[in-house]
C-alpha cells in the first residue's frame, strides 16, 4: 500500500502572518487520511446452510468452558465449527470453512503454531478439541496446556500477568508464552511486545526490519528503509531502486528513467545529485547565479503583521515555531524561476505543504539532502531539508529548509525544544506522556501553563488523526541528519516509506505479530488498499480495525 498521506497543518500555522489556517481536528492540527474503510463490522456469514448434522441429546445441557459454547446440547468452538460459525446454528456451505467465527471460501493456510484441523486453523497447544493433534479432545474437566490435557485449575493473576496453566506470566515478554499461553519463541529469540524477535543487535552494516537483519543498501524489499520495495526489474543500489534498462550514451539510468547527468539538475554529475533551486547543471557541475535570496535567513525584528528588517531585503521577518526568519507568502509553481522571482532570487524556493485547498506555501532557502554544510546545500542549524513528501499525493515539492529544532540552544530564551515536533514550547519532550505507536484522542486539548493556545498533550510527540476525529495514534517527526532510528522502541517503530530525497521522516506505526502486542482499541493488522484489499505481504502494524480486518491477528 502506498504510504498514507498526512496533512501537517500546525507547522505552517506557526507562520501566522503568511496564510489563513483553520483550527481543525480539535486542536491537534494534523490529519492522516489512510483511505482505509471506517466500518469495522465483521464480514457477513454465508447465507447457505449445510445439511443438518445429528446432535447428541442431554437431559441437562452441559457446562462448557470458554471459549466453547453450548449449541444444540453440545460444546462447540464457534470460532472454528463450520456448523456453528460465529454463532449457534450459523452453518457454512460445503465449500467453506470456519475461521475466527467467519465462513471463508478456501481452505486456510495456517501460520505456526496453528495447524489445519479439518478446514480450520487451530492452536493444538491450547485447543481442547484438538489438544496436541487434530481430533484429540480433552475431557470436560480438563484444559489443553502445551499440547497435553491437564486437570483444570483456577489461577487469578494481577494485571498485566496472564494465567497460563497454574502460572502467572507476562505474555508480552515471556518467551515460553509469547503473545498467548503455550506460544514458544525459537531458540535464540526473545519475546518483545507479544512477538518473537531475534537478537536486537544486527551486524555492522545491517538494519533490523521486522524480525530480520537486512542490508538496506542492497535489499530490494527494504531499499534505503524498511518496507521500501523496488518494483519488478529494479535492483537496490546504495539504498535506491534502479531499473536494469540500458540507456544510450551519454544518458544513464537514474531510478526508472534515462537522463543526461551533464545537464540534468536533479542528477547533476551522478544520480541523485540535485542542484539547489536556481542553479543550473553545466558539464555535470551545479552552477550558482550571482544574485541570491534572503529567504530563510535569520532576523531580529519579527512582527505578527509582517516586520520589515534590513536583514530580509524585500522579504519580511516573521516568527516561526523556533526562531524568526526572513520569508513571505508565495504561490506554488512548476517553474522554479517563477518561485525565485516571488521569493527574492536564486537559492530560494516556494515550499508547499499539502495539496489543493489544503495547501500552504512560504518562501524558504532551497537545500540538498546530501549536503554536509551550507556551502554544499545543507540547511543551517535549526532547520530541516524537506519537500513535505507525506503531505502530497503526486510526489514531494522541491526541497527547502523549514524551521525544525533539535536542541534547546536553537530556541528562544526560556523555551524548550520538543525534538518530536521540531517546535519550541514551554515543556519540550515529556517522557511521562504516551510513546509513538500508542492510541490517542486528537479532540482532547488543554492549555499548558505559560501558553495561550490549547493543544493535545497526550503524546510525547504528535497525536495524528487517523480515520475518525477521535481516532489517533501518537507519532513523531524525525530529522534524519541527527538520527536514523525512531526514539521509542526503534526495533518496532521504524521510519518506513521515507524517500531518499528528504531529511524529514515520520515515526508512527508499531510493528506487531499479534493483537497482544498492541494497545486497545488498536489491533495487529496488515495494510490495505483504498478499496479495502489486504496486502498480505506487508508487515503487520498496530492500527484501528477495519471492515476487512475487524479482529486483527489473535
Amino acid at each position: 500500500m502506498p504510504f498514507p498521506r498526512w496533512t501537517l497543518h500546525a507547522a505552517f500555522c506557526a507562520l501566522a502572518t503568511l496564510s489563513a489556517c483553520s483550527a481543525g481536528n480539535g486542536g491537534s492540527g494534523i490529519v492522516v487520511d489512510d483511505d482505509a474503510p471506517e466500518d469495522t463490522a465483521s464480514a457477513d456469514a454465508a447465507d447457505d446452510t449445510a445439511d443438518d448434522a445429528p446432535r447428541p441429546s442431554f437431559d441437562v445441557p452441559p457446562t462448557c468452558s470458554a471459549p466453547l459454547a453450548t449449541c444444540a446440547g453440545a460444546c462447540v468452538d464457534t470460532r472454528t465449527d463450520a456448523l456453528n460459525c460465529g454463532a449457534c446454528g450459523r452453518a457454512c456451505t460445503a465449500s467453506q470453512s470456519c475461521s475466527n467465527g467467519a465462513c471463508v471460501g478456501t481452505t486456510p493456510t495456517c501460520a505456526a503454531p496453528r495447524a489445519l484441523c479439518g478446514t480450520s486453523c487451530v492452536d493444538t497447544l491450547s485447543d481442547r478439541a484438538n489438544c496436541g493433534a487434530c481430533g484429540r479432545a480433552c475431557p470436560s474437566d480438563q484444559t489443553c496446556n502445551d499440547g497435553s490435557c491437564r486437570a483444570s485449575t483456577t489461577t487469578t493473576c494481577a494485571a498485566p500477568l496472564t494465567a497460563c496453566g497454574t502460572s502467572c506470566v507476562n505474555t508480552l515478554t515471556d518467551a515460553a508464552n509469547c503473545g498467548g499461553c503455550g506460544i514458544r519463541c525459537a531458540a535464540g529469540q526473545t519475546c518483545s511486545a507479544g512477538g518473537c524477535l531475534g537478537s536486537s543487535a544486527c551486524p555492522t552494516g545491517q538494519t533490523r526490519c521486522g524480525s530480520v537483519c537486512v542490508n538496506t543498501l542492497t535489499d530490494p524489499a527494504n531499499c534505503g528503509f524498511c518496507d521500501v520495495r523496488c518494483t519488478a526489474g529494479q535492483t537496490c543500489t546504495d539504498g535506491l531502486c534502479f531499473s536494469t534498462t540500458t540507456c544510450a550514451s551519454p544518458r544513464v539510468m537514474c531510478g526508472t528513467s534515462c537522463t543526461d547527468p551533464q545537464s540534468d539538475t536533479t542528477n547533476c554529475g551522478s544520480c541523485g545529485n540535485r542542484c539547489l533551486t536556481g542553479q543550473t547543471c553545466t558539464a555535470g557541475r551545479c552552477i550558482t547565479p550571482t544574485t541570491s535570496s534572503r529567504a530563510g535567513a535569520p532576523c531580529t525584528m519579527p512582527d505578527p503583521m509582517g516586520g520589515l528588517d534590513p536583514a530580509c531585503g524585500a522579504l519580511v521577518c516573521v516568527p516561526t515555531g523556533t526562531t524568526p526568519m526572513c520569508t513571505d507568502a508565495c504561490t506554488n509553481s512548476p517553474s522554479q524561476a517563477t518561485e525565485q522571482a516571488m521569493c527574492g532570487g536564486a537559492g530560494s524556493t516556494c515550499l508547499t505543504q499539502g495539496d489543493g485547498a489544503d495547501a500552504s506555501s512560504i518562501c524558504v532557502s532551497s537545500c540538498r539532502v546530501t549536503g554536509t554544510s551550507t556551502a554544499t546545500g545543507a540547511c543551517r542549524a535549526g532547520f530541516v531539508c524537506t519537500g513535505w513528501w507525506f503531505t502530497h499525493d503526486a510526489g514531494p515539492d522541491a526541497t527547502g529548509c523549514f524551521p525544525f529544532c533539535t536542541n534547546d540552544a536553537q530556541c528562544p530564551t526560556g523555551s524548550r525544544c520538543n525534538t518530536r515536533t521540531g517546535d519550541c514550547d514551554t515543556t519540550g519532550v515529556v517522557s511521562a506522556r504516551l510513546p509513538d505507536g500508542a492510541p490517542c484522542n486528537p479532540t482532547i486539548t488543554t492549555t499548558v501553563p505559560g501558553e495561550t493556545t490549547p493543544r493535545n498533550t497526550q503524546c510525547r510527540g504528535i497525536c495524528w488523526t487517523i480515520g475518525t476525529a477521535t481516532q489517533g495514534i501518537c507519532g513523531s517527526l524525525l530529522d534524519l541528519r541527527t538520527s536514523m532510528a525512531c526514539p521509542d522502541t526503534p526495533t518496532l517503530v521504524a521510519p518506513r516509506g521515507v524517500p531518499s530525497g528528504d531529511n524529514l521522516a515520520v515515526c508512527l506505526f508499531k510493528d506487531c505479530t499479534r493483537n497482544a502486542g498492541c494497545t486497545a482499541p488498536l489491533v495487529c493488522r496488515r495494510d490495505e488498499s483504498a478499496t479495502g484489499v489486504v496486502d498480505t505481504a506487508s508487515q503487520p502494524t498496530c492500527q484501528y480495525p477495519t471492515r476487512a480486518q475487524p479482529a486483527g491477528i489473535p
Side-chain angles (χ1 to χ4, degrees):
M1 182 182 84
F3 205 84
R5 175 191 173 201
W6 280 274
T7 300
L8 183 58
H9 190 76
F12 272 74
C13 286
L15 306 180
T17 67
L18 304 182
S19 60
C21 300
S22 59
N25 304 310
S28 69
I30 298 175
V31 173
V32 179
D33 182 3
D34 200 1
D35 289 332
E38 298 180 4
D39 186 356
T40 59
S42 61
D44 292 335
D47 293 330
D48 297 333
T49 57
D51 294 336
D52 292 338
R55 298 291 182 184
S57 60
F58 296 89
D59 292 335
V60 179
T63 299
C64 302
S65 301
L68 303 184
T70 303
C71 291
C75 291
V76 299
D77 189 341
T78 57
R79 299 173 303 172
T80 57
D81 192 321
L83 296 178
N84 300 277
C85 189
C88 292
R90 182 180 293 169
C92 300
T93 64
S95 62
Q96 292 181 313
S97 62
C98 182
S99 178
N100 290 326
C103 294
V104 295
T106 58
T107 301
T109 300
C110 304
R114 299 170 73 85
L116 184 63
C117 289
T119 59
S120 302
C121 290
V122 299
D123 188 345
T124 57
L125 296 176
S126 59
D127 193 319
R128 291 183 59 250
N130 301 277
C131 189
C134 294
R136 184 183 294 169
C138 295
S140 60
D141 61 344
Q142 293 186 350
T143 60
C144 182
N145 189 357
D146 203 16
S148 299
C149 294
R150 300 178 182 177
S152 178
T153 59
T154 300
T155 302
T156 301
C157 301
L161 301 183
T162 301
C164 289
T166 59
S167 301
C168 291
V169 300
N170 189 338
T171 57
L172 296 178
T173 58
D174 191 333
N177 301 276
C178 190
C181 295
I183 302 175
R184 294 180 178 273
C185 294
Q189 289 187 317
T190 60
C191 182
S192 177
C196 293
L197 299 176
S199 173
S200 60
C202 289
T204 302
Q206 294 190 346
T207 302
R208 175 165 297 284
C209 290
S211 60
V212 297
C213 294
V214 300
N215 186 341
T216 57
L217 296 179
T218 58
D219 188 345
N222 302 277
C223 191
F225 293 91
C226 294
D227 291 340
V228 178
R229 297 177 179 271
C230 297
T231 60
Q234 289 186 319
T235 59
C236 182
T237 303
D238 292 332
L240 297 173
C241 293
F242 291 96
S243 173
T244 56
T245 303
T246 301
C247 300
S249 180
R251 299 168 70 81
V252 299
M253 179 61 63
C254 287
T256 60
S257 303
C258 292
T259 188
D260 186 353
Q262 297 299 302
S263 58
D264 187 349
T265 56
T266 60
N267 301 280
C268 189
S270 62
C271 292
N273 186 37
R274 183 185 294 269
C275 294
L276 295 176
T277 302
Q279 289 184 321
T280 60
C281 182
T282 304
R285 297 181 60 188
C286 293
I287 305 299
T288 304
T290 56
T291 303
S292 60
S293 170
R294 296 297 298 162
C299 55
T300 58
M301 299 174 63
D303 185 330
M305 297 305 294
L308 299 179
D309 189 308
C312 296
L315 303 178
V316 292
C317 184
V318 173
T320 72
T322 56
T323 55
M325 76 172 188
C326 299
T327 185
D328 206 345
C330 55
T331 303
N332 189 36
S333 171
S335 169
Q336 286 300 304
T338 300
E339 291 192 351
Q340 290 172 24
M342 289 186 287
C343 293
S348 65
T349 187
C350 181
L351 181 61
T352 300
Q353 176 264 314
D355 295 323
D358 295 327
S360 298
S361 303
I362 57 171
C363 292
V364 299
S365 60
S366 57
C367 58
R368 184 186 295 125
V369 297
T370 56
T372 56
S373 66
T374 54
T376 58
C379 295
R380 63 185 176 94
F383 288 75
V384 63
C385 186
T386 181
W388 293 115
W389 58 275
F390 51 86
T391 72
H392 298 287
D393 290 330
D397 193 15
T399 52
C401 295
F402 191 80
F404 191 94
C405 68
T406 55
N407 57 66
D408 291 346
Q410 297 164 359
C411 294
T413 302
S415 296
R416 302 289 305 278
C417 175
N418 187 327
T419 55
R420 307 295 189 90
T421 66
D423 288 333
C424 299
D425 56 33
T426 59
T427 60
V429 178
V430 180
S431 59
R433 295 174 182 170
L434 296 175
D436 294 347
C440 58
N441 185 343
T443 64
I444 299 176
T445 60
T446 186
T447 300
V448 178
E451 299 179 11
T452 58
T453 304
R455 58 186 174 94
N456 185 285
T457 59
Q458 292 177 293
C459 306
R460 297 172 186 173
I462 304 167
C463 184
W464 302 75
T465 301
I466 299 179
T468 66
T470 59
Q471 291 179 335
I473 294 180
C474 292
S476 298
L477 297 175
L478 178 68
D479 185 348
L480 297 177
R481 294 180 307 168
T482 60
S483 175
M484 296 293 290
C486 290
D488 296 325
T489 55
T491 58
L492 298 177
V493 180
R496 298 189 301 153
V498 181
S500 59
D502 208 294
N503 280 336
L504 189 63
V506 177
C507 300
L508 184 63
F509 295 115
K510 177 182 175 183
D511 290 347
C512 58
T513 57
R514 293 173 178 268
N515 290 339
C518 303
T519 302
L522 304 184
V523 298
C524 186
R525 69 171 179 86
R526 300 185 185 277
D527 291 337
E528 298 178 10
S529 69
T531 57
V533 178
V534 179
D535 180 2
T536 57
S538 64
Q539 165 67 42
T541 56
C542 296
Q543 302 186 49
Y544 286 92
T546 64
R547 178 191 295 272
Q549 300 176 87
I553 304 174

